[in-house]
């Protein structure tokens, strides 16, 4: 079932590239490090992805800030700067990703910054509950935890999505807290994304065989039913367009601020609780 799971890893480059065209701290240094140290033969990069990637990053942060939960597990963290930024704010922050990405992340952060003691980067697979338990070693068991992920579930089959969701449910059942994810965005988003960025998904298909429309949620009702069947009681939906006015990439790339409205209005971040 997981033979080609590593094929998802190169997609971390797909999102690291457009983040450099934002005002998010460290992202330019991160991409420069990756360009110098990461061999990229297959991944086609697209600047127009920047508003979408910036929106999901900033909306996730906005939700996290409002919750006042100061310990976080980010699964499939990739090359995002969120971990080091929140660790510098005093959060206990654990990043989990597959071996190669986790190893690269440690190397690059050592080159561009000082890694705080409260930032823990560990290798792991979100489909393995034992790897969540490794992350739990860094947590205060008496405090809530926020589990975050961007860009993982969309590449998984529904059988695999269920395994990850049950793992997260079991962590939150023990620890209490919340799951914040943009990875349940329904199918209609792909059509809007294709309208804004023709060929983006076709190019992504060349990187990973896991970019399949059949593995996407149909609509909000489908998301709610899936989460309820796992055992979650609450699914709160936020749209990317909520942070449209906070996006710097439109001005940096000289993109019409209204051109991505359909993309930002169809993409969501879900806040899921037991």
């Amino acid at each position: 079932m997981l033979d080609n799971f590593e094929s998802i890893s190169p997609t971390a480059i797909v999102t690291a590239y457009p983040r450099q065209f934002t005002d998010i701290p460290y992202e330019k240094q991160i991409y420069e490090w990756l360009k110098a140290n990461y061999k990229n033969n297959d991944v086609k990069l697209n600047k127009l992805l920047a508003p979408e990637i910036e929106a999901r990053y900033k909306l996730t942060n906005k939700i996290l800030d409002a919750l006042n939960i100061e310990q976080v597990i980010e699964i499939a963290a990739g090359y995002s700067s969120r971990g080091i930024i929140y660790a510098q704010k005093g959060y206990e922050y654990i990043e989990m990703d597959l071996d190669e990405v986790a190893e690269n992340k440690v190397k690059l952060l050592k080159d561009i910054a000082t890694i705080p003691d409260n930032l823990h980067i560990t290798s792991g697979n979100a489909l393995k509950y034992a790897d969540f338990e490794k992350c739990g070693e860094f947590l205060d068991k008496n405090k809530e935890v926020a589990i975050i992920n961007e860009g993982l579930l969309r590449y998984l089959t529904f059988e695999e999505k269920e395994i990850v969701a049950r793992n997260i449910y079991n962590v939150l059942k023990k620890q209490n807290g919340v799951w914040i994810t943009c990875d349940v965005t329904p199918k209609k988003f792909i059509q809007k994304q294709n309208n804004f960025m023709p060929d983006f998904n076709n190019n992504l298909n060349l990187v990973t065989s896991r970019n399949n429309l059949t593995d996407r949620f149909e609509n909000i009702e489908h998301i709610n039913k899936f989460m309820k069947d796992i055992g979650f009681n609450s699914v709160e939906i936020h749209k990317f367009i909520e942070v449209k006015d906070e996006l710097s990439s439109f001005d940096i790339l000289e993109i019409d601020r209204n051109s991505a409205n359909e993309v930002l209005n169809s993409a969501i971040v879900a806040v899921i609780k037991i």
Side-chain angles (χ1 to χ4, degrees), residues 81-136:
S81 60
R82 182 181 289 114
I84 191 166
I85 291 170
Y86 274 84
Q88 289 170 345
K89 292 179 180 181
Y91 284 59
E92 200 70 29
Y93 208 101
I94 303 101
E95 296 187 17
M96 182 173 75
D97 213 316
L98 299 178
D99 292 347
E100 181 183 356
V101 176
E103 289 169 11
N104 282 344
K105 189 66 170 289
V106 171
K107 290 174 186 175
L108 79 82
L109 287 180
K110 283 182 176 177
D111 281 355
I112 70 170
T114 300
I115 301 178
D117 291 341
N118 52 326
L119 175 59
H120 314 280
I121 299 169
T122 181
S123 62
N125 184 328
L127 283 89
K128 297 179 180 177
Y129 186 68
D131 289 342
F132 279 95
E133 290 183 313
K134 283 196 305 183
C135 294

Side-chain angles (χ1 to χ4, degrees), residues 48-49 52 185-201 213 216 239 258-267:
L48 291 179
L49 193 61
E52 173 192 328
T185 291
K187 281 183 180 179
K188 69 175 181 179
F189 164 73
I190 297 300
Q191 179 188 348
K192 306 302 182 184
Q193 192 182 53
N194 286 340
N195 291 342
F196 186 60
M197 295 180 292
D199 295 329
F200 171 72
N201 280 291
L213 195 61
R216 305 298 174 86
K239 293 186 176 183
N258 294 318
S259 62
N261 278 357
E262 288 190 343
V263 172
L264 299 179
N265 203 41
S266 58

Side-chain angles (χ1 to χ4, degrees), residues 1-2 16 28 42 57 61 68 80 84 92 102-103 105 117 124 126 167-168 195 226 244 247 260 265 268-269:
M1 178 171 60
L2 303 179
K28 289 182 177 65
D42 304 312
Y57 182 100
N61 288 4
N68 293 316
S80 165
I84 191 166
E92 200 70 29
E103 289 169 11
K105 189 66 170 289
D117 291 341
N167 286 343
I168 292 171
N195 291 342
F226 177 89
K244 177 185 171 183
L247 305 183
N265 203 41
I268 64 172
V269 172

Side-chain angles (χ1 to χ4, degrees), residues 87-225:
Q88 289 170 345
K89 292 179 180 181
Y91 284 59
E92 200 70 29
Y93 208 101
I94 303 101
E95 296 187 17
M96 182 173 75
D97 213 316
L98 299 178
D99 292 347
E100 181 183 356
V101 176
E103 289 169 11
N104 282 344
K105 189 66 170 289
V106 171
K107 290 174 186 175
L108 79 82
L109 287 180
K110 283 182 176 177
D111 281 355
I112 70 170
T114 300
I115 301 178
D117 291 341
N118 52 326
L119 175 59
H120 314 280
I121 299 169
T122 181
S123 62
N125 184 328
L127 283 89
K128 297 179 180 177
Y129 186 68
D131 289 342
F132 279 95
E133 290 183 313
K134 283 196 305 183
C135 294
E137 294 171 9
F138 302 108
L139 299 177
D140 182 336
K141 302 298 186 292
N142 297 313
K143 295 181 180 179
E144 292 183 318
V145 62
I147 298 177
I148 292 175
N149 69 283
E150 298 182 5
L152 170 64
L153 292 188
R154 61 172 287 173
Y155 299 113
L156 304 183
T157 65
F158 274 97
E159 181 184 0
E160 292 165 342
K161 285 177 176 53
E162 183 177 342
I163 294 169
V164 174
R166 289 194 184 281
N167 286 343
I168 292 171
Y169 175 85
N170 288 331
V171 172
L172 295 181
K173 193 173 181 181
K174 282 185 182 179
Q175 187 86 31
N176 210 355
V178 63
W179 178 17
I180 306 169
T181 179
C182 63
D183 275 357
V184 292
T185 291
K187 281 183 180 179
K188 69 175 181 179
F189 164 73
I190 297 300
Q191 179 188 348
K192 306 302 182 184
Q193 192 182 53
N194 286 340
N195 291 342
F196 186 60
M197 295 180 292
D199 295 329
F200 171 72
N201 280 291
N202 287 335
N203 290 334
L204 197 57
N205 290 340
L206 301 176
V207 179
T208 176
S209 61
R210 287 179 165 269
N211 187 40
N212 299 316
L213 195 61
T214 54
D215 295 327
R216 305 298 174 86
F217 288 92
E218 295 292 336
N219 46 40
I220 302 300
E221 291 73 24
H222 187 192
I223 298 164
N224 283 326
K225 182 180 185 310

